[in-house]
Amino acid sequence: MTTIALALQAVKERIQACAKAAGRTPHEIQLVAVSKGFAPCKIEEAYRAGQTSFGENRAQEGLEKIHALKHLSLDWHFIGPIQSNKTRLVAEHFSWVHTIERSKIAERLSLARSNGQAPLQVCIQVNISGEGSKSGVSPGDLLPLAKFVQTLPRLRLRGLMAIPQLTADFDLQRRQFRQLRELKAALAVEGISLDTLSMGMSHDLESAIWEGATMLRVGTAIFGDRKSTKDSWQ
Ligand SMILES: *Cc1c(COP(=O)(O)O)cnc(C)c1O
């Protein structure tokens, strides 16, 4: 087995063990392999090991890989901040966007998504850490944005996403993820039922699983450290 195949296997074992402990079925937890910073050959290696969903956080970098790997049937997730001049690229080439935080960008994505494609699957990014990551809507602005996104014909609102404040404190990780789960429950009370909680990365995926994550975005634990320049994209 290759290094990436072994790492992928180890991540799947973590997911299985934690899901079992938390009384959840691993099948309801999807793994998105975050390939930002890594070359197409590394993505292909993960694909040969059975991985089909990949996440990229820069439109241009993602697009180059999508083209390089178009002979494979892969599912691309956009997980970075979206500039308005990149909405067309993202809408045309990705099947998921996890980082909706402004109505204007959501509207542009919907306009750019062609009728020949399935609707773009989206999550609204919520800023649950307060001071930490500045990205995402504040919890107070979530409901109006969710209502607006639901009216857009070429987008399908699937869930919520968050990047919590970085901490090794398991309880604090869980408290932050719990907030996202509670926000999803609050939307359901308003008649907006969502099926996706995109939360949990390499270092905190267990906390996320305990709090109900349905989509994990894992990079380092699969591909290795992005700071080691040897296999990096540039
Ligand atoms: C880079 C990134 C990840 C993956 O982080 P790792 O710590 O490498 O697992 C997940 N989500 C987002 C939004 C990212 O930018």
Side-chain angles (χ1 to χ4, degrees):
M1 281 224 264
T2 67
T3 312
I4 288 176
L6 284 167
L8 196 51
Q9 186 57 40
V11 168
K12 286 182 187 162
E13 280 163 14
R14 279 173 68 188
I15 296 169
Q16 265 156 23
C18 183
K20 189 163 179 236
R24 301 187 54 201
T25 150
H27 304 292
E28 66 189 32
I29 304 166
Q30 194 190 330
L31 176 61
V32 176
V34 177
S35 46
K36 66 185 185 197
F38 289 93
C41 62
K42 298 292 164 188
I43 298 172
E44 188 149 2
E45 204 174 310
Y47 171 78
R48 302 279 165 228
Q51 181 65 29
T52 53
S53 297
F54 294 90
E56 289 285 338
N57 70 337
R58 291 187 185 170
Q60 197 54 43
E61 178 183 340
L63 198 64
E64 289 175 40
K65 295 177 194 179
I66 290 169
H67 282 313
L69 296 167
K70 59 173 179 284
H71 56 291
L72 307 178
S73 141
L74 305 179
D75 198 20
W76 293 96
H77 294 240
F78 193 79
I79 60 167
I82 310 172
Q83 297 160 275
S84 56
N85 63 346
K86 295 287 164 45
T87 46
R88 179 160 296 279
L89 286 187
V90 171
E92 284 177 352
H93 298 282
F94 287 80
S95 51
W96 278 77
V97 171
H98 293 229
T99 44
I100 300 289
E101 54 178 329
R102 283 162 52 198
S103 54
K104 185 94 195 301
I105 297 286
E107 194 166 27
R108 290 178 67 106
L109 287 169
S110 182
L111 284 168
R113 184 75 168 179
S114 87
N115 285 316
Q117 294 175 292
L120 186 62
Q121 315 287 306
V122 303
C123 293
I124 292 175
Q125 182 174 356
V126 186
N127 183 356
I128 49 171
S129 69
E131 68 235 78
S133 146
K134 294 279 184 288
S135 291
V137 287
S138 65
D141 293 333
L142 174 60
L143 179 61
L145 182 58
K147 281 183 173 161
F148 176 75
V149 171
Q150 278 201 316
T151 68
L152 297 171
R154 305 303 299 143
L155 300 192
R156 180 150 170 244
L157 181 59
R158 294 291 300 272
L160 305 180
M161 178 272 210
I163 306 174
Q165 184 190 329
L166 186 63
T167 171
D169 178 342
F170 189 73
D171 290 331
L172 180 54
Q173 289 174 1
R174 279 196 62 169
R175 276 205 301 280
Q176 296 186 78
F177 290 136
R178 191 174 309 147
Q179 237 187 298
L180 198 69
R181 170 162 62 78
E182 287 171 355
L183 287 168
K184 177 170 164 291
L187 286 180
V189 172
E190 300 289 337
I192 300 177
S193 352
L194 306 175
D195 61 16
T196 301
L197 278 176
S198 167
M199 58 190 198
M201 319 202 295
S202 294
H203 70 285
D204 58 11
L205 65 88
E206 280 83 3
S207 299
I209 290 171
W210 276 99
E211 295 299 336
T214 65
M215 223 178 237
L216 308 171
R217 309 177 312 270
V218 177
T220 311
I222 296 171
F223 293 105
D225 191 349
R226 286 180 292 273
K227 285 184 206 80
S228 71
T229 49
K230 192 161 66 74
D231 298 320
S232 81
W233 173 241
Q234 284 89 9

